[in-house]
mmCIF file of all heavy atoms in Angstrom:
data_model
loop_
_atom_site.group_PDB
_atom_site.id
_atom_site.type_symbol
_atom_site.label_atom_id
_atom_site.label_comp_id
_atom_site.label_asym_id
_atom_site.label_seq_id
_atom_site.Cartn_x
_atom_site.Cartn_y
_atom_site.Cartn_z
ATOM 1 N N ARG V 636 -36.072 -5.596 -41.702
ATOM 2 C CA ARG V 636 -35.109 -4.909 -42.568
ATOM 3 C C ARG V 636 -34.704 -3.568 -41.960
ATOM 4 O O ARG V 636 -33.553 -3.162 -42.010
ATOM 5 C CB ARG V 636 -35.696 -4.689 -43.954
ATOM 6 C CG ARG V 636 -35.751 -5.951 -44.773
ATOM 7 C CD ARG V 636 -36.318 -5.646 -46.148
ATOM 8 N NE ARG V 636 -36.471 -6.877 -46.887
ATOM 9 C CZ ARG V 636 -36.061 -7.053 -48.124
ATOM 10 N NH1 ARG V 636 -35.515 -6.052 -48.781
ATOM 11 N NH2 ARG V 636 -36.214 -8.207 -48.721
ATOM 12 N N ARG V 637 -35.690 -2.870 -41.409
ATOM 13 C CA ARG V 637 -35.420 -1.562 -40.788
ATOM 14 C C ARG V 637 -34.435 -1.721 -39.634
ATOM 15 O O ARG V 637 -33.481 -0.948 -39.501
ATOM 16 C CB ARG V 637 -36.728 -0.945 -40.297
ATOM 17 C CG ARG V 637 -36.578 0.421 -39.676
ATOM 18 C CD ARG V 637 -37.952 1.005 -39.288
ATOM 19 N NE ARG V 637 -37.866 2.395 -38.921
ATOM 20 C CZ ARG V 637 -37.598 2.842 -37.709
ATOM 21 N NH1 ARG V 637 -37.398 1.987 -36.719
ATOM 22 N NH2 ARG V 637 -37.539 4.137 -37.454
ATOM 23 N N SER V 638 -34.657 -2.732 -38.792
ATOM 24 C CA SER V 638 -33.737 -2.967 -37.676
ATOM 25 C C SER V 638 -32.345 -3.327 -38.184
ATOM 26 O O SER V 638 -31.337 -2.843 -37.655
ATOM 27 C CB SER V 638 -34.270 -4.053 -36.750
ATOM 28 O OG SER V 638 -35.379 -3.573 -36.020
ATOM 29 N N TRP V 639 -32.281 -4.181 -39.210
ATOM 30 C CA TRP V 639 -30.980 -4.529 -39.803
ATOM 31 C C TRP V 639 -30.257 -3.267 -40.261
ATOM 32 O O TRP V 639 -29.079 -3.076 -39.975
ATOM 33 C CB TRP V 639 -31.138 -5.469 -41.004
ATOM 34 C CG TRP V 639 -31.172 -6.925 -40.638
ATOM 35 C CD1 TRP V 639 -32.246 -7.760 -40.709
ATOM 36 C CD2 TRP V 639 -30.093 -7.732 -40.152
ATOM 37 N NE1 TRP V 639 -31.899 -9.024 -40.291
ATOM 38 C CE2 TRP V 639 -30.579 -9.031 -39.950
ATOM 39 C CE3 TRP V 639 -28.757 -7.470 -39.869
ATOM 40 C CZ2 TRP V 639 -29.787 -10.077 -39.475
ATOM 41 C CZ3 TRP V 639 -27.953 -8.511 -39.395
ATOM 42 C CH2 TRP V 639 -28.479 -9.786 -39.200
ATOM 43 N N LEU V 640 -30.972 -2.401 -40.976
ATOM 44 C CA LEU V 640 -30.379 -1.171 -41.490
ATOM 45 C C LEU V 640 -29.798 -0.329 -40.367
ATOM 46 O O LEU V 640 -28.631 0.091 -40.405
ATOM 47 C CB LEU V 640 -31.411 -0.358 -42.281
ATOM 48 C CG LEU V 640 -30.965 1.041 -42.703
ATOM 49 C CD1 LEU V 640 -29.817 0.966 -43.712
ATOM 50 C CD2 LEU V 640 -32.136 1.827 -43.271
ATOM 51 N N PHE V 641 -30.603 -0.093 -39.327
ATOM 52 C CA PHE V 641 -30.143 0.771 -38.246
ATOM 53 C C PHE V 641 -29.080 0.106 -37.374
ATOM 54 O O PHE V 641 -28.193 0.789 -36.849
ATOM 55 C CB PHE V 641 -31.324 1.298 -37.427
ATOM 56 C CG PHE V 641 -32.027 2.423 -38.140
ATOM 57 C CD1 PHE V 641 -33.157 2.179 -38.897
ATOM 58 C CD2 PHE V 641 -31.524 3.709 -38.078
ATOM 59 C CE1 PHE V 641 -33.789 3.210 -39.586
ATOM 60 C CE2 PHE V 641 -32.150 4.742 -38.752
ATOM 61 C CZ PHE V 641 -33.282 4.496 -39.514
ATOM 62 N N LEU V 642 -29.130 -1.208 -37.228
ATOM 63 C CA LEU V 642 -28.068 -1.900 -36.490
ATOM 64 C C LEU V 642 -26.753 -1.844 -37.270
ATOM 65 O O LEU V 642 -25.677 -1.659 -36.681
ATOM 66 C CB LEU V 642 -28.470 -3.348 -36.204
ATOM 67 C CG LEU V 642 -29.574 -3.502 -35.153
ATOM 68 C CD1 LEU V 642 -30.051 -4.948 -35.092
ATOM 69 C CD2 LEU V 642 -29.102 -3.018 -33.793
ATOM 70 N N ILE V 643 -26.828 -1.973 -38.589
ATOM 71 C CA ILE V 643 -25.624 -1.862 -39.422
ATOM 72 C C ILE V 643 -25.063 -0.445 -39.353
ATOM 73 O O ILE V 643 -23.854 -0.245 -39.181
ATOM 74 C CB ILE V 643 -25.923 -2.294 -40.870
ATOM 75 C CG1 ILE V 643 -26.148 -3.814 -40.912
ATOM 76 C CG2 ILE V 643 -24.803 -1.877 -41.819
ATOM 77 C CD1 ILE V 643 -26.745 -4.321 -42.211
ATOM 78 N N LEU V 644 -25.943 0.554 -39.476
ATOM 79 C CA LEU V 644 -25.493 1.941 -39.370
ATOM 80 C C LEU V 644 -24.877 2.221 -37.995
ATOM 81 O O LEU V 644 -23.852 2.904 -37.880
ATOM 82 C CB LEU V 644 -26.649 2.903 -39.647
ATOM 83 C CG LEU V 644 -27.149 2.949 -41.090
ATOM 84 C CD1 LEU V 644 -28.409 3.803 -41.186
ATOM 85 C CD2 LEU V 644 -26.068 3.444 -42.036
ATOM 86 N N SER V 645 -25.490 1.672 -36.947
ATOM 87 C CA SER V 645 -24.953 1.820 -35.596
ATOM 88 C C SER V 645 -23.572 1.175 -35.496
ATOM 89 O O SER V 645 -22.659 1.726 -34.867
ATOM 90 C CB SER V 645 -25.908 1.192 -34.588
ATOM 91 O OG SER V 645 -25.348 1.198 -33.296
ATOM 92 N N GLY V 646 -23.419 0.019 -36.102
ATOM 93 C CA GLY V 646 -22.117 -0.655 -36.114
ATOM 94 C C GLY V 646 -21.053 0.160 -36.823
ATOM 95 O O GLY V 646 -19.907 0.250 -36.366
ATOM 96 N N LEU V 647 -21.434 0.773 -37.944
ATOM 97 C CA LEU V 647 -20.485 1.630 -38.665
ATOM 98 C C LEU V 647 -20.105 2.846 -37.824
ATOM 99 O O LEU V 647 -18.939 3.242 -37.778
ATOM 100 C CB LEU V 647 -21.085 2.066 -40.008
ATOM 101 C CG LEU V 647 -21.238 0.958 -41.053
ATOM 102 C CD1 LEU V 647 -22.043 1.456 -42.250
ATOM 103 C CD2 LEU V 647 -19.869 0.440 -41.495
ATOM 104 N N ALA V 648 -21.091 3.423 -37.141
ATOM 105 C CA ALA V 648 -20.807 4.564 -36.264
ATOM 106 C C ALA V 648 -19.902 4.136 -35.107
ATOM 107 O O ALA V 648 -18.967 4.867 -34.735
ATOM 108 C CB ALA V 648 -22.114 5.161 -35.730
ATOM 109 N N THR V 649 -20.142 2.957 -34.550
ATOM 110 C CA THR V 649 -19.293 2.440 -33.473
ATOM 111 C C THR V 649 -17.867 2.257 -33.969
ATOM 112 O O THR V 649 -16.907 2.652 -33.296
ATOM 113 C CB THR V 649 -19.835 1.098 -32.943
ATOM 114 O OG1 THR V 649 -21.126 1.313 -32.394
ATOM 115 C CG2 THR V 649 -18.920 0.494 -31.893
ATOM 116 N N GLY V 650 -17.730 1.657 -35.141
ATOM 117 C CA GLY V 650 -16.399 1.452 -35.717
ATOM 118 C C GLY V 650 -15.664 2.764 -35.917
ATOM 119 O O GLY V 650 -14.484 2.907 -35.570
ATOM 120 N N ALA V 651 -16.344 3.756 -36.472
ATOM 121 C CA ALA V 651 -15.726 5.063 -36.676
ATOM 122 C C ALA V 651 -15.342 5.684 -35.325
ATOM 123 O O ALA V 651 -14.243 6.229 -35.173
ATOM 124 C CB ALA V 651 -16.680 5.986 -37.437
ATOM 125 N N SER V 652 -16.243 5.575 -34.352
ATOM 126 C CA SER V 652 -15.965 6.106 -33.021
ATOM 127 C C SER V 652 -14.715 5.466 -32.430
ATOM 128 O O SER V 652 -13.839 6.151 -31.908
ATOM 129 C CB SER V 652 -17.168 5.861 -32.111
ATOM 130 O OG SER V 652 -16.867 6.205 -30.784
ATOM 131 N N TRP V 653 -14.618 4.156 -32.510
ATOM 132 C CA TRP V 653 -13.463 3.449 -31.959
ATOM 133 C C TRP V 653 -12.174 3.837 -32.670
ATOM 134 O O TRP V 653 -11.134 4.023 -32.035
ATOM 135 C CB TRP V 653 -13.669 1.943 -32.034
ATOM 136 C CG TRP V 653 -14.663 1.396 -31.062
ATOM 137 C CD1 TRP V 653 -15.395 2.096 -30.150
ATOM 138 C CD2 TRP V 653 -15.035 0.041 -30.924
ATOM 139 N NE1 TRP V 653 -16.212 1.236 -29.449
ATOM 140 C CE2 TRP V 653 -16.014 -0.035 -29.905
ATOM 141 C CE3 TRP V 653 -14.667 -1.132 -31.556
ATOM 142 C CZ2 TRP V 653 -16.601 -1.231 -29.505
ATOM 143 C CZ3 TRP V 653 -15.251 -2.324 -31.168
ATOM 144 C CH2 TRP V 653 -16.204 -2.367 -30.145
ATOM 145 N N LEU V 654 -12.226 3.943 -33.996
ATOM 146 C CA LEU V 654 -11.022 4.305 -34.744
ATOM 147 C C LEU V 654 -10.531 5.700 -34.344
ATOM 148 O O LEU V 654 -9.340 5.901 -34.082
ATOM 149 C CB LEU V 654 -11.285 4.239 -36.249
ATOM 150 C CG LEU V 654 -11.437 2.831 -36.818
ATOM 151 C CD1 LEU V 654 -11.999 2.894 -38.241
ATOM 152 C CD2 LEU V 654 -10.111 2.085 -36.810
ATOM 153 N N PHE V 655 -11.451 6.656 -34.286
ATOM 154 C CA PHE V 655 -11.068 8.009 -33.890
ATOM 155 C C PHE V 655 -10.637 8.063 -32.428
ATOM 156 O O PHE V 655 -9.689 8.775 -32.071
ATOM 157 C CB PHE V 655 -12.216 8.995 -34.141
ATOM 158 C CG PHE V 655 -12.456 9.266 -35.596
ATOM 159 C CD1 PHE V 655 -13.699 9.048 -36.157
ATOM 160 C CD2 PHE V 655 -11.438 9.733 -36.426
ATOM 161 C CE1 PHE V 655 -13.936 9.293 -37.501
ATOM 162 C CE2 PHE V 655 -11.659 9.988 -37.766
ATOM 163 C CZ PHE V 655 -12.910 9.772 -38.314
ATOM 164 N N TYR V 656 -11.316 7.309 -31.583
ATOM 165 C CA TYR V 656 -10.990 7.288 -30.155
ATOM 166 C C TYR V 656 -9.580 6.755 -29.936
ATOM 167 O O TYR V 656 -8.792 7.347 -29.197
ATOM 168 C CB TYR V 656 -12.019 6.437 -29.409
ATOM 169 C CG TYR V 656 -11.749 6.309 -27.929
ATOM 170 C CD1 TYR V 656 -12.007 7.369 -27.074
ATOM 171 C CD2 TYR V 656 -11.232 5.138 -27.398
ATOM 172 C CE1 TYR V 656 -11.759 7.270 -25.709
ATOM 173 C CE2 TYR V 656 -10.977 5.023 -26.046
ATOM 174 C CZ TYR V 656 -11.241 6.085 -25.207
ATOM 175 O OH TYR V 656 -10.995 5.985 -23.867
ATOM 176 N N PHE V 657 -9.247 5.649 -30.573
ATOM 177 C CA PHE V 657 -7.924 5.062 -30.385
ATOM 178 C C PHE V 657 -6.834 5.969 -30.935
ATOM 179 O O PHE V 657 -5.757 6.089 -30.344
ATOM 180 C CB PHE V 657 -7.851 3.674 -31.017
ATOM 181 C CG PHE V 657 -8.126 2.557 -30.045
ATOM 182 C CD1 PHE V 657 -9.197 2.616 -29.169
ATOM 183 C CD2 PHE V 657 -7.299 1.448 -29.988
ATOM 184 C CE1 PHE V 657 -9.438 1.598 -28.270
ATOM 185 C CE2 PHE V 657 -7.533 0.422 -29.092
ATOM 186 C CZ PHE V 657 -8.614 0.492 -28.220
ATOM 187 N N GLN V 658 -7.110 6.641 -32.070
ATOM 188 C CA GLN V 658 -6.138 7.585 -32.618
ATOM 189 C C GLN V 658 -5.924 8.736 -31.640
ATOM 190 O O GLN V 658 -4.801 9.132 -31.364
ATOM 191 C CB GLN V 658 -6.617 8.108 -33.972
ATOM 192 C CG GLN V 658 -5.616 9.017 -34.665
ATOM 193 C CD GLN V 658 -4.362 8.294 -35.108
ATOM 194 O OE1 GLN V 658 -4.415 7.208 -35.666
ATOM 195 N NE2 GLN V 658 -3.208 8.893 -34.862
ATOM 196 N N ALA V 659 -7.016 9.291 -31.105
ATOM 197 C CA ALA V 659 -6.930 10.384 -30.138
ATOM 198 C C ALA V 659 -6.204 9.924 -28.872
ATOM 199 O O ALA V 659 -5.357 10.654 -28.330
ATOM 200 C CB ALA V 659 -8.322 10.905 -29.789
ATOM 201 N N LEU V 660 -6.521 8.713 -28.414
ATOM 202 C CA LEU V 660 -5.901 8.190 -27.197
ATOM 203 C C LEU V 660 -4.406 7.970 -27.396
ATOM 204 O O LEU V 660 -3.612 8.216 -26.489
ATOM 205 C CB LEU V 660 -6.591 6.882 -26.794
ATOM 206 C CG LEU V 660 -6.425 6.392 -25.377
ATOM 207 C CD1 LEU V 660 -6.888 7.439 -24.370
ATOM 208 C CD2 LEU V 660 -7.208 5.100 -25.182
ATOM 209 N N GLN V 661 -4.032 7.553 -28.592
ATOM 210 C CA GLN V 661 -2.614 7.339 -28.874
ATOM 211 C C GLN V 661 -1.851 8.670 -28.896
ATOM 212 O O GLN V 661 -0.720 8.749 -28.453
ATOM 213 C CB GLN V 661 -2.437 6.618 -30.208
ATOM 214 C CG GLN V 661 -1.016 6.163 -30.474
ATOM 215 C CD GLN V 661 -0.942 5.206 -31.635
ATOM 216 O OE1 GLN V 661 -1.458 5.495 -32.702
ATOM 217 N NE2 GLN V 661 -0.324 4.055 -31.426
#
């Protein structure tokens, strides 16, 4: 469960990073 939690949180952080990165790149 702990790994699931942190992998999900990591995925959310990745998603946010990509969204901001693409906006900045544009």
Side-chain angles (χ1 to χ4, degrees):
R636 286 181 185 228
R637 182 177 191 273
S638 289
W639 273 110
L640 172 66
F641 282 97
L642 289 171
I643 290 167
L644 290 173
S645 174
L647 291 171
T649 298
S652 172
W653 287 1
L654 288 167
F655 289 124
Y656 178 75
F657 265 46
Q658 184 67 45
L660 199 57
Q661 189 167 51

